[in-house]
Amino acid sequence: MPWTKTVLFAAAALAVTLPAARAQTATQQPVILLDPGHGGPDTGAMLTGKLSESEVTVALANRLRALLLVRGFKVVMTHTTPTDATDLNTDRRAEAANRSGAIACLTLHATGSSNGVHLFTSALPETEPALQASRPVPWNEAQSAWVTRSLRLASELQAAVARSHTPVTSSRTYLAQLDSMTCPAVAVELGPLDDLTAQDATYQQRVAEAIAGALLFWRGHPNAVTSAGATR
């Protein structure tokens, strides 16, 4: 997956107004947004001679979705098969996240190199709290108001994955989907583990269960807040 910051729109179209964060009430079903990376003609990296990244991200997303549903979450997915993302570009993925009101937005990726699970949060500097609702911000910097919450979410995910005896690292990067999201947002990249590839069903299930457990804890966390649906 490319870890480069891209400018998505012309300057005149690059503004969103960030709403104040609001906590979900006890009567609301908490929403999780899952964005399997790539899809359609964009297969992502080739993890083996025949296995594409998009196949792995969709498989992991569907495993995670099933676990979250039985835990009482509402799950919104940007797409559900490797081929149904033909018209799904970077900004549409972010807009789907921003409309969902999710308490956590996860964009999923896979790699054929390195080892274990890699978590990424936006490298954008955080917007000063006093300025968060006072002025429009560039669309591809919308995550700046959510950086602290995203880092906290990544910390919870990292701890849960580590408890599953899976190597896990966390770092920050510029990534278009994350930078444009108005929710606690983390990119999860699944790499091979020992002799297991990222497509191994048992390995995927272990990681998915760790993430689902972390999100179950996260929904009661004070930083698990949702936007009012900021859009471009």
Side-chain angles (χ1 to χ4, degrees):
M1 60 181 293
W3 298 108
T4 57
K5 184 176 182 180
T6 57
V7 177
L8 303 180
F9 302 97
L14 273 176
V16 295
T17 300
L18 296 178
R22 55 186 175 90
Q24 291 196 337
T25 67
T27 58
Q28 290 178 302
Q29 190 177 21
V31 176
I32 303 295
L33 183 285
L34 300 179
D35 174 32
H38 309 284
D42 173 18
T43 61
M46 295 304 296
L47 307 187
T48 66
K50 296 182 179 180
L51 179 67
S52 68
E53 183 178 359
S54 60
E55 293 176 84
V56 173
T57 61
V58 165
L60 178 60
N62 282 316
R63 289 182 190 280
L64 184 53
R65 176 180 180 273
L67 293 170
L68 291 172
L69 289 175
V70 300
R71 286 164 172 76
F73 290 97
K74 176 181 178 181
V75 180
V76 176
M77 290 181 60
T78 56
H79 62 112
T80 57
T81 73
T83 59
D84 67 352
T86 302
D87 298 322
L88 194 61
N89 56 24
T90 296
D91 31 303
R92 287 182 177 177
R93 292 173 190 266
E95 191 161 9
N98 296 350
R99 289 184 182 277
S100 70
I103 65 169
C105 298
L106 303 182
T107 178
L108 307 177
H109 294 270
T111 179
S113 60
S114 68
N115 186 53
V117 175
H118 313 281
L119 306 175
F120 298 90
T121 49
S122 174
L124 289 169
E126 184 175 24
T127 302
E128 290 292 332
L131 300 177
Q132 286 181 4
S134 63
R135 58 180 175 82
V137 298
W139 167 258
N140 63 340
E141 295 180 11
Q143 176 65 196
S144 60
W146 299 82
V147 167
T148 296
R149 283 160 281 192
S150 296
L151 288 169
R152 182 64 185 181
L153 173 60
S155 177
E156 299 295 345
L157 294 172
Q158 183 171 8
V161 172
R163 286 193 296 271
S164 74
H165 304 290
T166 303
V168 56
T169 62
S170 183
S171 59
R172 299 181 66 180
T173 189
Y174 290 111
L175 183 64
Q177 288 101 315
L178 294 183
D179 292 348
S180 301
M181 288 181 177
T182 56
C183 53
V186 178
V188 180
E189 184 179 61
L190 188 65
L193 178 62
D194 298 327
D195 59 343
L196 302 177
T197 68
Q199 74 174 131
D200 183 85
T202 302
Y203 176 33
Q204 285 190 15
Q205 189 70 17
R206 184 205 309 178
V207 172
E209 288 175 355
I211 292 172
L215 293 174
L216 188 62
F217 174 81
W218 174 253
R219 72 180 178 188
H221 197 281
N223 280 323
V225 293
T226 181
S227 74
T231 56
R232 181 170 52 88

